[in-house]
Amino acid sequence: MEEPVDLQPADDVTPEEPGPPQRMTRQEILTLISVASVNFSSMICYSILGPFFPNEAVKKGANQTVIGLIFGCYAVCNLIGSLILGRYIVQIGAKFMLVAGLFVSSGCTIMFGLLTRVPSGAPFIALCFVVRSIDAVGFAGAMTSSFSMVAKMFPNKVATVLGSLEIFTGLGLIVGPPFGGWLYQSFGYEVPFMLLGCLLLIMVPFNIYILPTIAARPSKDSFLRLLTKPKIVMICYMTFTLSAGLGFLDATLSLFAIKTFGLSPGYVGLIMLSVSLPYCLVSPLLGYLTDKYPVIRPWIMVIGGSVTAVGFCMLGPAPFLHIPSQLWLMVIMLSLIGFSLGMTAIPTFPEIISSAYGLGYEEGLSTLGMVSGLFGAVWSLGMFYGPIVGGLVTQHLSFNWAAVVQGGLAFLGAVLLASCYLCERTQQRAREDAGQTSEATPLLTERRQSK
């Protein structure tokens, strides 16, 4: 059996100073391959629900609100799992957490494919909640550990590496909806889940073999102290608006497109590519830019939030604009949302890490686990809010008004984040001026005394 590989003898090893580009080691390459495969396979399994599950759930007796709750329960359990697993990643072990998460998710994906054999009504709805909840905990373990391992192994280029890995996240989101829609139309409800569940199961021995074991020690720091810094709170809110928008689209877009434009589930899957493809293409470039020029990270997020707000307001479009719904306009706005989501999402993780180190957190796996857990928890909170509130607004008003609500959240986040950074820069300049004044005062005193 393969011996565990300790990447570093201690958890507080100071990262190397930036220098000439160096070739990656074999272990680093294998870890990137592992994380990329996890991102790709997990996102396929997550995204296949959008084109056909809401329609299938309606046939089984679920209404729009219940469908939103089924999507939302996944987010609640992911939130709880991210916080707990992120806090105890060192005690559990990052490698074990990732492998165990994959195994749980694979079993739940296969089980979800068998739910059509359950009687309609309460039994079907109850089992949807149970299976999705357990799946969410497994997914939280895999994502929290993979983010932490990447940030630990590439401390000086977190955004670049994560941005590059988001290609595979985007590919999973791109392939999932049309592939799932095609499998559903061709072979029925069970085949998409069976096939992709087996794909996740194959990933388990693969990752057991190639992933390293990272040496680390627990930290006494907590999640709550992270939230004492206003900048981190504002970044978390921006992350919340991102996932809320995506969760809203997952739960409502397919039914709106089918009802308004008469599309089949397969075509709905193709429309969903409009979000994931731009996100996939823009992520590596944004990761490189925000690592090379860290000072632009907040303004990239502010611009991204503003563009997201415009995209959601024009998606329906907003009723007060009195513009009729057009398929071409919806596709363009979805593409704009995908592009702006990349602008907002990529800088968030490295910016929270740098803020945590500024608060005095130790540089190590324990801190990275807490940041990953916080990021995952806030993301999950948005994924809970988006489907449920979006489903309620859609059911009682319309999809158009629900999209406006999502756009308003994104715009509010952009305004709050911009205000936070402007206040922070003003305070920093005031401290610098005060420091210069205090340095000049003794000199004036000495001159007076000499006279």
Side-chain angles (χ1 to χ4, degrees), residues 51-312:
F52 61 87
F53 176 75
N55 197 43
E56 195 71 26
V58 169
K59 296 178 184 177
K60 283 289 196 175
N63 57 32
Q64 182 69 65
T65 303
V66 171
I67 294 170
L69 288 171
I70 291 172
F71 279 92
C73 79
Y74 183 95
V76 171
C77 295
N78 199 302
L79 184 155
I80 297 170
S82 295
L83 289 174
I84 295 174
L85 296 175
R87 180 65 182 86
Y88 295 102
I89 188 172
V90 174
Q91 292 87 338
I92 298 172
K95 178 178 179 177
F96 177 80
M97 187 183 293
L98 191 149
V99 171
L102 282 178
F103 181 78
V104 171
S105 290
S106 65
C108 290
T109 302
I110 293 171
M111 290 178 63
F112 206 80
L114 299 174
L115 291 182
T116 50
R117 303 188 180 191
V118 177
S120 299
F124 172 81
I125 293 171
L127 285 176
C128 281
F129 279 112
V130 172
V131 176
R132 286 286 284 176
S133 299
I134 298 173
D135 188 17
V137 176
F139 183 81
M143 289 295 102
T144 299
S145 56
S146 65
F147 272 43
S148 302
M149 293 175 75
V150 167
K152 177 68 173 175
M153 297 186 71
F154 303 94
N156 295 321
K157 41 188 177 181
V158 175
T160 302
V161 175
L162 288 179
S164 300
L165 289 172
E166 286 302 297
I167 293 177
F168 298 92
T169 301
L171 285 175
L173 293 172
I174 288 169
V175 172
F179 185 58
W182 176 76
L183 287 175
Y184 172 74
Q185 283 189 309
S186 303
F187 304 102
Y189 178 84
E190 294 183 4
V191 172
F193 295 100
M194 295 293 179
L195 185 62
L196 295 176
C198 291
L199 173 64
L200 275 181
L201 195 59
I202 293 171
M203 299 301 301
V204 172
F206 173 73
N207 283 281
I208 290 175
Y209 177 72
I210 70 171
L211 277 179
T213 298
I214 300 178
R217 63 169 178 262
S219 170
K220 295 181 180 180
D221 292 312
S222 67
F223 284 107
L224 294 178
R225 195 157 76 90
L226 281 174
L227 298 177
T228 60
K229 193 173 180 65
K231 181 169 71 173
I232 294 179
V233 175
M234 292 300 102
I235 295 172
C236 287
Y237 178 75
M238 289 295 291
T239 305
F240 165 80
T241 63
L242 294 179
S243 56
L246 290 176
F248 162 72
L249 293 176
D250 282 339
T252 60
L253 181 62
S254 62
L255 292 177
F256 174 75
I258 291 171
K259 180 180 178 180
T260 305
F261 305 112
L263 301 178
S264 66
Y267 280 109
V268 173
L270 290 174
I271 288 176
M272 288 184 172
L273 293 181
S274 304
V275 178
S276 49
L277 186 58
Y279 177 79
C280 174
L281 294 176
V282 78
S283 293
L285 176 61
L286 289 170
Y288 173 77
L289 287 176
T290 54
D291 266 342
K292 190 173 180 64
Y293 308 105
V295 71
I296 68 172
R297 286 175 186 163
W299 305 114
I300 291 287
M301 288 188 279
V302 169
I303 294 170
S306 302
V307 176
T308 301
V310 173
F312 273 109

